[in-house]
Amino acid sequence: MPTTRNRVEVLHGVNLDMLGSRDKDVYGDFTLPELEVRIKRFARDLELEAFFFQTNSEGEFVEHLHRLPKIADAAIVNAGAWTHYSRAIADALDVARLPAVEVHLSDVEARDDWRRVSVFDGLVLAKVSGKGPDGYREALETIAAELGVGN
């Protein structure tokens, strides 16, 4: 169990391990490890500690959410396409009961109609979309305020 209220688990879902080879106009030209370096730096600036998890398996994502209360104080969730239809992941996020922020690199509101739906509505503190890597900084700022870190 964390001894301080500053551990943030950043969960990346389906296909996010393919950053760098996906449509660069939509997702940017960085890889997932490069993105995680940026997020770790953003977190450190805010007196938070970022840890990462990525899977292309919906069941593994759910299992990891079940473990979150024992290993984290808050979460950032970029579940990829699962955001728009996985009630199992939404239920697991609800069970975790941690402060969470939903993040999308691309502007999901300006894309396909089906991407405008989020099964995480009502379960997260905020949704950040279309700001690329800087969206993670905004999410971390929201979490820091919620946890009272850096005050």
Side-chain angles (χ1 to χ4, degrees), residues 26-64:
V26 175
Y27 298 103
D29 63 353
F30 46 84
T31 65
L32 183 59
E34 291 168 340
L35 175 62
E36 289 176 348
V37 166
R38 289 186 195 182
I39 296 168
K40 205 169 236 334
R41 190 175 311 122
F42 294 156
R44 192 173 31 244
D45 291 347
L46 295 167
E47 299 177 30
L48 298 168
E49 193 173 4
F51 296 86
F52 303 95
F53 176 80
Q54 189 283 323
T55 184
N56 291 313
S57 167
E58 185 176 6
E60 286 178 15
F61 203 91
V62 167
E63 291 292 336
H64 197 74

Side-chain angles (χ1 to χ4, degrees), residues 10-12 16 19 30 32 35 38-39 42-43 46 52 76-79 101 103-105 128 131-143:
V10 181
L11 294 93
H12 289 117
L16 284 157
L19 289 175
F30 46 84
L32 183 59
L35 175 62
R38 289 186 195 182
I39 296 168
F42 294 156
L46 295 167
F52 303 95
I76 293 175
V77 180
N78 183 343
V101 176
V103 172
H104 301 279
L105 292 164
V128 182
K131 297 182 178 179
D134 288 337
Y136 287 88
R137 176 180 278 285
E138 185 175 322
L140 287 162
E141 289 169 349
T142 300
I143 287 169

Side-chain angles (χ1 to χ4, degrees), residues 102-110 127-132 135 138:
E102 175 184 339
V103 172
H104 301 279
L105 292 164
S106 69
D107 183 0
V108 293
E109 300 298 323
K127 176 179 177 178
V128 182
S129 174
K131 297 182 178 179
E138 185 175 322

Side-chain angles (χ1 to χ4, degrees), residues 66-143:
H66 290 169
R67 290 189 295 272
L68 274 192
K70 294 180 182 171
I71 63 171
D73 303 302
I76 293 175
V77 180
N78 183 343
W82 292 327
T83 302
H84 313 294
Y85 66 85
S86 178
R87 299 291 176 189
I89 290 175
D91 286 349
L93 183 60
D94 188 37
V95 167
R97 299 243 183 250
L98 289 177
V101 176
E102 175 184 339
V103 172
H104 301 279
L105 292 164
S106 69
D107 183 0
V108 293
E109 300 298 323
R111 294 181 66 195
D112 313 284
D113 288 344
W114 63 270
R115 292 182 196 270
R116 295 181 186 140
V117 174
S118 172
V119 295
F120 306 141
D121 286 348
L123 299 174
V124 294
L125 297 169
K127 176 179 177 178
V128 182
S129 174
K131 297 182 178 179
D134 288 337
Y136 287 88
R137 176 180 278 285
E138 185 175 322
L140 287 162
E141 289 169 349
T142 300
I143 287 169

